[in-house]
Amino acid sequence: ENVAKAIERSVDEEEAILLQQRYLIRGLGWRNVDFDQLAWRRYYIAEKCNGNLQTFHEQCPAFPEEAFLASGRPAFNIAHVQRAIAKWKRPPIFTGRLLETGALDPNSRGELWIWAHPDPAKQYTIGVDTASGASQGDLEDSGLAKIGSKDPSVLVVCELGSRIPVAEWYGWAQPHTFGPEVARISNFYRAQVAIETHPSQHGLAVYQVAEDAGCKRLFVQQKWDDREGKMQVRKGWITSPQGKALVMDRVAQALAGEAPIPSQRLLQEL
């Protein structure tokens, strides 16, 4: 009892999240995580993991999401990501693909997830992070690479202003396959699209294919060139080291506060 009271007085943020979890014991039913278990956890981290929390997550994940988070090198605070998963994760209302006709084709294994359909009263914006679509350098003739690549292409649709994600495309596709997807989803939501074209090697190809496929709301960057005496236009979003640091800081702030990101697969990528 004294140990439990001592633990209760010194619960940190990650432990507070764990105390909200439940687990199933076969034949006995559901149980809540208790302070005795937190005491064992602290002992194991200190004595078996040399105080390394990351090692503990790898050896003893508390739930499946934590196993995914511990398997890589997270760029953000794991406790904050766990809290976002526990609080905001919810299943999409649609899973499948968007056809060329604009119709939705349901498929439980589809790359497109939707949490909110287009609302004519709202405006939307899309961010696109492209990849080669390759899995271990082995591109398939169909345009889709083998599932298991560590470098997927991702498209996220957000409400303008609130920045709440309403849809997401996540998968392994070559630029000539991904570009039309970008165009269709942009037209579906009537959304502005920012495709990262530098330093991505494939972003410009996706940009061009999306443009050829009828995407009319593609972001461009303009900069005055004193030497040429005219405005220089560069297609897509150009990511600089300074810009990347700013974006990472904004994401970290969102995760530390309120980050209504419903997508489990996106949160696990963090």
Side-chain angles (χ1 to χ4, degrees):
E1 183 178 355
N2 291 334
V3 172
K5 289 183 178 179
I7 295 291
E8 185 176 3
R9 288 194 297 268
S10 59
V11 169
D12 62 26
E13 186 174 21
E14 184 170 345
E15 290 173 335
I17 294 172
L18 290 174
L19 286 171
Q20 300 172 16
Q21 309 301 316
R22 304 182 71 204
Y23 60 96
L24 179 66
I25 299 179
R26 186 172 297 178
L28 296 177
W30 289 93
R31 296 289 186 270
N32 295 319
V33 173
D34 59 32
F35 293 108
D36 287 335
Q37 289 168 312
L38 289 189
W40 172 86
R41 179 178 182 273
R42 289 186 181 185
Y43 163 80
Y44 196 98
I45 292 171
E47 300 298 327
K48 304 296 184 180
C49 302
N50 295 319
N52 190 313
L53 185 60
Q54 181 70 21
T55 301
F56 179 79
H57 286 155
E58 292 172 357
Q59 295 183 6
C60 308
F63 42 88
E65 291 85 354
E66 189 168 82
F68 282 107
L69 291 167
S71 64
R73 294 183 178 181
F76 303 101
N77 185 295
I78 291 179
H80 293 167
V81 177
Q82 289 174 345
R83 181 178 62 189
I85 290 174
K87 185 173 182 180
W88 298 110
K89 180 191 70 175
R90 56 190 175 90
I93 61 174
F94 170 83
T95 302
R97 62 183 181 131
L98 182 62
L99 302 177
E100 294 182 10
T101 61
L104 292 171
D105 180 28
N107 186 326
S108 61
R109 300 183 64 182
E111 293 91 352
L112 177 62
W113 290 6
I114 292 177
W115 289 271
H117 290 292
D119 183 341
K122 296 179 179 179
Q123 293 181 299
Y124 301 94
T125 183
I126 293 175
V128 180
D129 183 19
T130 65
S132 66
S135 177
Q136 304 297 326
D138 180 23
L139 298 178
E140 295 184 335
D141 294 336
S142 65
L144 292 177
K146 296 178 181 178
I147 298 301
S149 166
K150 295 182 180 180
D151 191 21
S153 291
V154 181
L155 175 156
V156 179
V157 185
C158 296
E159 288 183 9
L160 193 62
S162 69
R163 291 179 284 188
I164 296 175
V166 297
E168 170 189 287
W169 193 100
Y170 180 106
W172 287 259
Q174 297 180 44
H176 73 267
T177 303
F178 189 37
E181 296 281 359
V182 173
R184 284 194 288 270
I185 296 171
S186 171
N187 294 335
F188 186 67
Y189 279 93
R190 300 182 60 83
Q192 302 288 333
V193 185
I195 301 176
E196 184 185 37
T197 55
H198 182 81
S200 169
Q201 299 178 359
H202 309 281
L204 190 58
V206 172
Y207 185 106
Q208 193 61 58
V209 174
E211 188 174 40
D212 293 342
C215 188
K216 305 297 184 183
R217 303 175 180 85
L218 290 164
F219 177 84
V220 298
Q221 287 186 304
Q222 298 180 326
K223 183 178 181 181
W224 180 261
D225 189 324
D226 290 329
R227 179 177 299 179
E228 297 290 334
K230 62 180 180 180
M231 191 71 73
Q232 295 288 345
V233 178
R234 300 184 68 178
K235 295 181 176 181
W237 177 266
I238 314 299
T239 302
S240 65
Q242 296 82 2
K244 182 177 180 179
L246 178 60
V247 169
M248 297 284 282
D249 183 63
R250 292 281 178 86
V251 175
Q253 288 181 31
L255 289 171
E258 294 294 315
I261 302 174
S263 172
Q264 177 177 335
R265 60 186 180 182
L266 182 59
L267 286 165
Q268 288 174 179
E269 283 289 319
L270 301 178

